[in-house]
Amino acid sequence: MENLIALLVAAPLLGAAVLLCGGRRLDAVGHWIGTVLAAASFVIGALLFADMLGKDAEAREIGQHLFSWIPVGDFQADIAFQLDQLSMTFVLLITGVGTLIHVYSIGYMEHDERRRRFFGYLNLFLAAMLLLVLADNYLLLYVGWEGVGLASYLLIGFWQHKPSAATAAKKAFLVNRVGDMGLSIAIMLMFTTFGTFAFGPVLGRVGETGEGTLTAIALMLLLAACGKSAQVPLQSWLGDAMEGPTPVSALIHAATMVTAGVYLIVRSADIFNAAPNAQLVVTVVGAVTLLFGAIVGCAKDDIKKALAGSTMSQIGYMVLAAGLGPIGYVFAIMHLVTHGFFKAGLFLGAGSVMHGMNDEVDMRKYGGLRKYMPVTFVTFGLGYLAIIGFPGLSGFFSKDKIIEAAFAKGGAEGWIVGGAALLGAALTAYYMTRVMLMTFFGEERWRHRATASPDQPDVEPAAEHQGAHAEPHPHESPKSMTIPMIVLAFGSVFAGAFFGIGDRFVHWLEPVTGHEHGHPPVSALTVTLSTVVVLLLGAGLAYLHYGRRPVPVVAPRGSLLTRAARRDLLQDDFNHVVLVRGGEHLTRSLVYVDHTLVDGVVNGTAASVGGLSGRLRRLQNGYARSYAVSMFGGAAVLIAATLLMRAV
């Protein structure tokens, strides 16, 4: 069965090559080619999974060596794959959710004239992400890592005619290059320390290396993870990435790009376990980001950007869990998988709403859509209940375990990160209830577009601001879009219980990641009850704000915190002041130093030599009489000096 591993990557990679190079002759069938090859990769993954289940836990890891990529003396880089329980989890998530998104895209992109190219990019995204999680060494992982960055750039900026989309794609690409520098430095440090990039030798020899070196490697890996997984301080690209088509948002947030950083940290668990200071930084980054994203999500009126803040926050939970070490690795991946179901369902649901509302994204112009879009309402609602951690649904089992593990860390650190995780749960319930109420309940505010008057302060004048979107006619999406949403809704409901009851997921991943049972200062029941209480408080507060009061079509000015949250807590302003303007001042300073000091020294030296040469040149005038006089004068000086010395 190990010979099938390469086919996991080859199938979508073939699809990308055919669709991007095949030309317009494939326009009529390109979407089917891309979808079938994505599904073929899922089928291969399912076969490998079934074979893996038939083996003992310790014998489930298999590998496939294709060829030596760069053999130069002692330097050896291979194209080789490793399939174990961790990578298999990602394979099934990537190909399963990815295939559903391909199916959804058939209907969503039906009228786009570049649909074939879109599916080619989707296939490329799957292939790069599969290469990333199947590589058996960090250098090949880096190839997949960069492939994911390229595919995200192409997909976020797919609608290039929109300046906002082109800018968002460039922003995502550049911010991720900062993180990629961390991964490249980490790989260099690994090679100089261990003489290899392969996971086995690197992770197996961690005990032979000093803590300082391991801390440096771990921090560089964390920097890389912050870029791909949109964690503080490299989170600014994620909200703008919503400029891409909605299926792209679902793929990035649920199954591919933002999960890559969590995979990198968990795959490198031995390094982080041996570098406790770096592990603490991971925990802090996760805790800060989960609150940062949640606060941003509370203030966004754009439905996709509200969900983007949610993703940032939920990935923060995963990073926090990964920073807890062996007591959290399993739960980080468990939440990643359950999040893949409900977040993909939420984004596809948002796309369905946009499809029925003439691509409107402002939730203040929604309202009362549940009776016009019943399938979307139910599937989106189940995803909503899952993400807020409603008892019995997927998010309840995975997020509750992370909160419990956070308290189990012990000491002041445990109380701080546990409290942050609880606060994040309350904020999650608030902003997601807000999304549900503004979209599916209340007054049908979209009707105001055709009837609003400029004299009404809470309603935006339709004619000036809405253009072609003045008269939406909400309706349910076609089956090609609703069927994937229904399948994902089943995962949102049942996946957590399937993984959590009996600790199935713990037993599955433990041979790869290890696992320790923590000892929280309070009982698991107390943690669970506390989580449910804060959930109800957050949802209740959102109901008071958006369920019992009319929602104005134009957002009120709001508090200082609200205004800051609408601007992503000023992250772009900070980047502009510190990095852009700071870079400009640094560049100007370097130019001044170059012109004044460097050029001054160079030009001054040249001028001095030139001036001296000009003066010396006067002695070489070409007249024989001048040379004779010089010779006579020189001889006279020598004779006089000789006589003087004898006299003395």
Side-chain angles (χ1 to χ4, degrees):
M1 295 294 287
E2 60 269 13
N3 294 329
L4 295 178
I5 300 176
L7 294 180
L8 288 167
V9 181
L13 189 60
L14 174 64
V18 169
L19 294 176
L20 297 178
C21 301
R24 295 179 178 240
R25 66 178 69 88
L26 297 177
D27 282 355
V29 295
H31 51 289
W32 293 113
I33 294 174
T35 303
V36 167
L37 287 172
S41 187
F42 173 71
V43 171
I44 295 169
L47 292 174
L48 289 166
F49 176 62
D51 179 68
M52 187 177 285
L53 288 177
K55 300 177 181 179
D56 293 334
E58 294 74 16
R60 286 174 172 168
E61 180 180 333
I62 59 175
Q64 182 180 9
H65 180 277
L66 294 185
F67 56 88
S68 294
W69 176 22
I70 312 175
V72 181
D74 294 333
F75 179 87
Q76 185 76 25
D78 296 328
I79 301 295
F81 301 119
Q82 169 183 304
L83 185 65
D84 57 16
Q85 291 92 320
L86 178 61
S87 51
M88 175 56 76
T89 301
F90 276 84
V91 165
L92 294 177
L93 177 67
I94 295 164
T95 58
V97 174
T99 299
L100 291 173
I101 292 172
H102 275 70
V103 174
Y104 178 94
S105 300
I106 293 173
Y108 191 87
M109 301 295 289
E110 181 178 5
H111 302 294
D112 196 298
E113 61 182 14
R114 298 169 68 236
R115 181 166 63 166
R116 169 185 54 81
R117 179 171 297 185
F118 179 79
F119 276 83
Y121 292 159
L122 286 184
N123 273 198
L124 179 63
F125 213 161
L126 291 191
M129 190 65 190
L130 287 168
L131 179 63
L132 190 158
V133 300
L134 288 169
D136 86 332
N137 62 83
Y138 283 98
L139 192 61
L140 186 58
L141 180 150
Y142 188 76
V143 176
W145 192 270
E146 292 301 319
V148 168
L150 170 63
S152 66
Y153 169 78
L154 295 171
L155 285 167
I156 293 170
F158 183 75
W159 287 325
Q160 300 167 359
H161 60 277
K162 296 169 56 180
S164 57
T167 301
K170 288 186 288 186
K171 183 178 182 180
F173 190 81
L174 292 174
V175 172
N176 272 274
R177 296 294 70 74
V178 177
D180 294 352
M181 284 297 297
L183 183 55
S184 63
I185 293 172
I187 293 173
M188 295 175 196
L189 288 173
M190 289 175 191
F191 185 74
T192 57
T193 304
F194 304 106
T196 180
F197 309 110
F199 292 147
V202 169
L203 301 177
R205 293 169 54 190
V206 163
E208 304 172 11
T209 309
E211 185 178 322
T213 301
L214 294 174
T215 299
I217 294 174
L219 289 176
M220 290 299 100
L221 292 174
L222 174 61
L223 179 62
C226 286
K228 279 290 183 286
S229 294
Q231 299 293 283
V232 171
L234 300 179
Q235 79 286 3
S236 61
W237 65 271
L238 190 62
D240 292 338
M242 299 305 96
E243 290 292 337
T246 299
V248 176
S249 303
L251 195 59
I252 288 176
H253 289 248
T256 54
M257 190 163 177
V258 297
T259 66
V262 181
Y263 171 81
L264 181 65
I265 295 174
V266 176
R267 175 61 75 187
S268 308
D270 290 337
I271 295 175
F272 284 93
N273 290 340
N277 291 329
Q279 207 168 48
L280 176 61
V281 176
V282 175
T283 306
V284 171
V285 167
V288 170
T289 307
L290 77 87
L291 295 177
F292 188 103
I295 293 171
V296 169
C298 289
K300 292 294 186 181
D301 294 329
D302 183 318
I303 187 170
K304 289 175 66 178
K305 290 191 176 183
L307 294 178
S310 166
T311 297
M312 192 187 304
S313 180
Q314 298 305 308
I315 299 293
Y317 272 105
M318 302 170 205
V319 172
L320 183 152
L324 298 174
I327 63 175
Y329 291 134
V330 170
F331 302 129
I333 302 301
M334 181 177 172
H335 192 53
L336 185 149
V337 175
T338 59
H339 176 265
F341 285 110
F342 54 70
K343 183 52 60 70
L346 288 169
F347 265 110
L348 297 188
S352 180
V353 170
M354 293 166 57
H355 178 82
M357 293 292 292
N358 294 347
D359 289 329
E360 178 62 70
V361 296
D362 189 348
M363 294 185 294
R364 292 185 178 276
K365 297 165 187 171
Y366 291 167
L369 295 180
R370 67 187 186 279
K371 60 184 178 182
Y372 300 98
M373 311 178 73
V375 177
T376 301
F377 167 64
V378 172
T379 55
F380 193 98
L382 291 173
Y384 152 72
L385 293 174
I387 194 173
I388 68 174
F390 190 83
L393 275 71
S394 292
F396 169 78
F397 290 95
S398 56
K399 190 189 297 183
D400 190 74
K401 287 293 186 182
I402 292 177
I403 297 173
E404 185 180 331
F407 280 109
K409 187 67 176 178
E413 180 184 345
W415 284 104
I416 292 172
V417 297
L422 270 179
L423 177 58
L427 292 173
T428 301
Y430 179 86
Y431 66 72
M432 286 306 305
T433 303
R434 175 179 181 268
V435 170
M436 280 296 296
L437 293 173
M438 292 179 71
T439 303
F440 295 104
F441 294 89
E443 183 184 5
E444 297 174 354
R445 296 180 298 281
W446 44 273
R447 293 187 182 277
H448 291 178
R449 296 188 193 176
T451 60
S453 166
D455 297 328
Q456 294 176 286
D458 286 339
V459 180
E460 204 172 64
E464 293 184 22
H465 296 277
Q466 300 305 324
H469 301 288
E471 296 183 1
H473 300 284
H475 56 278
E476 190 57 88
S477 299
K479 289 184 178 180
S480 63
M481 295 171 63
T482 56
I483 290 176
M485 292 158 54
I486 293 170
V487 174
L488 290 167
F490 273 95
S492 300
V493 174
F494 299 111
F498 178 79
F499 295 148
I501 296 176
D503 285 337
R504 287 190 183 94
F505 205 78
V506 172
H507 298 321
W508 168 254
L509 275 188
E510 188 173 7
V512 180
T513 62
H515 181 64
E516 295 178 4
H517 293 281
H519 302 285
V522 293
S523 67
L525 179 60
T526 301
V527 174
T528 299
L529 291 176
S530 300
T531 305
V532 172
V533 168
V534 299
L535 179 159
L536 294 175
L537 288 174
L541 187 60
Y543 177 74
L544 291 176
H545 288 170
Y546 297 94
R548 299 189 62 181
R549 303 175 186 174
V551 177
V553 176
V554 177
R557 190 163 183 265
S559 65
L560 181 62
L561 178 60
T562 300
R563 296 198 300 274
R566 286 174 184 157
R567 298 183 60 175
D568 300 324
L569 292 180
L570 309 181
Q571 57 183 335
D572 285 332
D573 302 82
F574 176 83
N575 290 341
H576 185 75
V577 172
V578 175
L579 300 178
V580 178
R581 288 188 178 176
E584 290 175 353
H585 290 310
L586 177 61
T587 302
R588 290 171 185 167
S589 300
L590 292 175
V591 169
Y592 177 80
V593 170
D594 181 58
H595 287 173
T596 306
L597 182 60
V598 178
D599 287 354
V601 171
V602 174
N603 295 335
T605 302
S608 300
V609 173
L612 180 61
S613 300
R615 288 171 175 78
L616 292 175
R617 187 178 59 188
R618 296 175 183 175
L619 300 177
Q620 301 290 329
N621 54 20
Y623 293 108
R625 60 180 179 271
S626 297
Y627 298 155
V629 171
S630 299
M631 294 170 62
F632 177 77
V637 170
L638 291 175
I639 293 171
T642 303
L643 294 175
L644 180 61
M645 291 177 64
R646 287 182 177 180
V648 175

